[in-house]
Amino acid sequence: MSVHRGTGLLQHRSLNFADDFVAADFFENGAGLHVESSIVVNLSSDRLIIDDAIKTSIAPWRSAMLSKATIEQSGRIAVLKVCKTVDLGGVMFRGWDWLGNRIRSFPRQTPLFISPQDTIGEVELDPLFFTGEVAVERQMQRFVLKLNLWWSPAETDCFIHDKPSLPGDPHADIRNRPHAEIPGERPGDALSRCPHGAGLYL
């Protein structure tokens, strides 16, 4: 993935689930980054500002597909791009784990796989404000921010999509257009369903 701030190379690192199929990079500060065509995930509590004739933004803890765009102002971000689609679904051969190996009650017939996880730092927020349960921040708490990808084939029902996700779970649909959701840290938090096509999610 080519990433530049002006004429200098932008400081970043590859996330530990990046491979030949998915490019995945983490930036502590994405200001000045020019994005040709990638998913950009805003991993902060502030809006990400895109430099354009008409100023646009990515809301906190949300993502967007950017094409030929330059980021004017941001905190932490992840930038992801599918580089190779043939055999993309062979994640179990690339070190990904089937969720049933971690959750005994997970349906034995459901093919949902999780990539290696990458810890990128800590974040401080009010979980009730974050989930919209209160209008004003009251009690700030620290959370460890971790990223991973999920993969499920077409027509996979991950069975617990109707439950809320944890604070600090950004949503990014990397491969599948119909729907995107992120599982939480605890078994039973939100998972995904991809009714029309195979899904790759952050």
Side-chain angles (χ1 to χ4, degrees), residues 148-169:
N148 58 261
L149 293 179
W150 297 81
W151 169 264
S152 53
E155 300 297 335
T156 301
D157 185 353
C158 297
F159 88 98
I160 43 180
H161 166 61
D162 59 340
K163 298 187 179 181
S165 57
L166 285 178
D169 284 346

Side-chain angles (χ1 to χ4, degrees), residues 44-59:
S44 79
S45 298
D46 298 316
R47 283 189 171 272
L48 180 154
I49 307 301
I50 300 167
D51 185 11
D52 205 342
I54 300 176
K55 297 293 184 184
T56 55
S57 66
I58 301 176

